[in-house]
Amino acid sequence: MATDYDAPRRSNEEDLATDSLEELKARRNEASAADVDVDETETAESFELPGADLSGEELSVRVVPKQDDEFTCASCFLVYHRNRLGEERNGQLICVDCV
């Protein structure tokens, strides 16, 4: 909605006292017509962030094998410490989040 910043300001009490019902209805319709349905994914794809070209970057991570005090959850397949063990079902270990 366009705003005229040079126009004198009026308080809400003055608006209610002086505006007619037709003017209030027209303002409400203008406000609802100003809403635009924008596809967020389309908008996000159009932005190009400065320095965001990571095509030449290489990620180097040191992978540590599973330790003796860790287990792999049979439900979510994440590796957890033994203190996150929820229960054992048919010889398969399940974490507390999946129980």
Side-chain angles (χ1 to χ4, degrees):
M1 184 171 134
T3 303
D4 183 10
Y5 292 104
D6 294 328
R9 294 185 182 181
R10 296 170 35 185
S11 69
N12 287 338
E13 295 169 0
E14 291 174 0
D15 287 344
L16 294 176
T18 59
D19 291 342
S20 67
L21 183 59
E22 290 78 22
E23 289 177 6
L24 293 174
K25 286 181 181 179
R27 268 196 225 151
R28 182 177 63 192
N29 290 338
E30 287 175 7
S32 65
D35 294 337
V36 178
D37 188 20
V38 178
D39 186 13
E40 295 174 2
T41 56
E42 183 179 308
T43 304
E45 289 173 357
S46 67
F47 290 127
E48 182 144 345
L49 299 175
D53 183 19
L54 301 176
S55 61
E57 294 296 318
E58 186 174 317
L59 181 63
S60 58
V61 177
R62 186 173 66 99
V63 178
V64 179
K66 185 171 68 169
Q67 304 297 311
D68 291 336
D69 60 345
E70 295 176 333
F71 72 98
T72 303
C73 177
S75 179
C76 65
F77 304 105
L78 295 175
V79 177
Y80 290 106
H81 190 267
R82 285 279 180 189
N83 63 4
R84 301 286 299 160
L85 180 62
E87 65 181 41
E88 184 176 345
R89 296 180 190 161
N90 301 329
Q92 296 181 338
L93 305 173
I94 308 291
C95 69
V96 293
D97 295 327
C98 293
V99 170

